[in-house]
Amino acid sequence: MDLRGIDLTTEVVRTDRLVLRPFREDDVEPVWTACQSPDIARWISAVSVPYTHVDAAAWVTGEAPAMRREGTGLTVAIEAEGRFVGSAGVHRIGQHPLGPEVGYWIAPDARGSGYAAEAAHALAEWALGLGAPRVYLVADVVNTGSQHVARRAGFTQEGVLRSYLAYRDGSRGDAAVFSRLPTD
């Protein structure tokens, strides 16, 4: 990916319905509220249990902006009609042989509106438009909802990464791997 001329600290990606923007301090409360959902913690092991206000503040004001500053990720707050509805990002920029990774989660009260697929598609287009030869996405093989989102976002399933996911209890699970290419 060619990030020359791109200021990741301020980069915003827009779709017809969404603004994919840097996190702001006023996102701490909605991030905390959303991450109380057992579904988010189930599928995203980086979300601690319990998820505290301190955790939300560390993500919003520390970790997410740090990835942007370091050039390793474009982590975004997903905003629809002026309201925070979730988080997404292009992660592992320049760090993984499969290319940059797209990820997402949607707050429980905003699910079912197609926001995850719209954000994932837009972020894949952003990365491919900057020269990424491919982008990928992984979803637990049990998480059929996330796999459906990947397909709706234009990703093609390539296979299964066996024992790829580390679970909280120390066990491991398989992940479906999806990709998008510039020719897709």
Side-chain angles (χ1 to χ4, degrees):
M1 286 178 59
D2 184 1
L3 295 175
R4 288 178 294 185
I6 303 292
D7 180 358
L8 286 182
T9 64
T10 60
E11 183 76 353
V12 174
V13 176
R14 296 178 187 279
T15 72
D16 289 341
R17 301 184 305 156
L18 304 176
V19 177
L20 309 178
R21 59 165 174 78
F23 280 94
R24 303 183 306 236
E25 283 193 42
D26 63 339
D27 293 323
V28 171
E29 189 67 23
V31 166
W32 175 80
T33 299
C35 288
Q36 300 311 298
S37 167
D39 291 338
I40 291 174
R42 176 182 182 191
W43 302 121
I44 303 173
S45 61
V47 173
S48 60
V49 178
Y51 193 76
T52 67
H53 280 94
V54 171
D55 296 324
W59 172 253
V60 168
T61 64
E63 296 166 50
M67 284 186 250
R68 284 174 167 255
R69 279 191 313 275
E70 295 162 4
T72 60
L74 180 74
T75 305
V76 299
I78 304 171
E79 188 177 289
E81 298 178 3
R83 179 175 71 99
F84 176 90
V85 296
S87 177
V90 178
H91 309 288
R92 299 180 174 198
I93 294 174
Q95 299 177 320
H96 199 281
L98 292 177
E101 176 182 8
V102 172
Y104 45 81
W105 59 259
I106 300 297
D109 65 346
R111 293 182 187 153
S113 299
Y115 296 146
E118 190 171 333
H121 182 270
L123 291 172
E125 288 291 310
W126 177 84
L128 293 168
L130 291 172
R134 57 180 280 122
V135 291
Y136 80 102
L137 185 156
V138 295
D140 192 303
V141 294
V142 181
N143 189 344
T144 56
S146 189
Q147 292 175 56
H148 178 71
V149 166
R151 289 182 185 96
R152 286 193 58 218
F155 286 78
T156 300
Q157 185 171 352
E158 294 183 325
V160 173
L161 299 170
R162 298 181 310 144
S163 193
Y164 183 79
L165 303 170
Y167 296 133
R168 294 176 201 283
D169 67 2
S171 65
R172 298 194 64 85
D174 297 344
V177 63
F178 296 82
S179 70
R180 291 249 341 252
L181 304 176
T183 54
D184 291 345

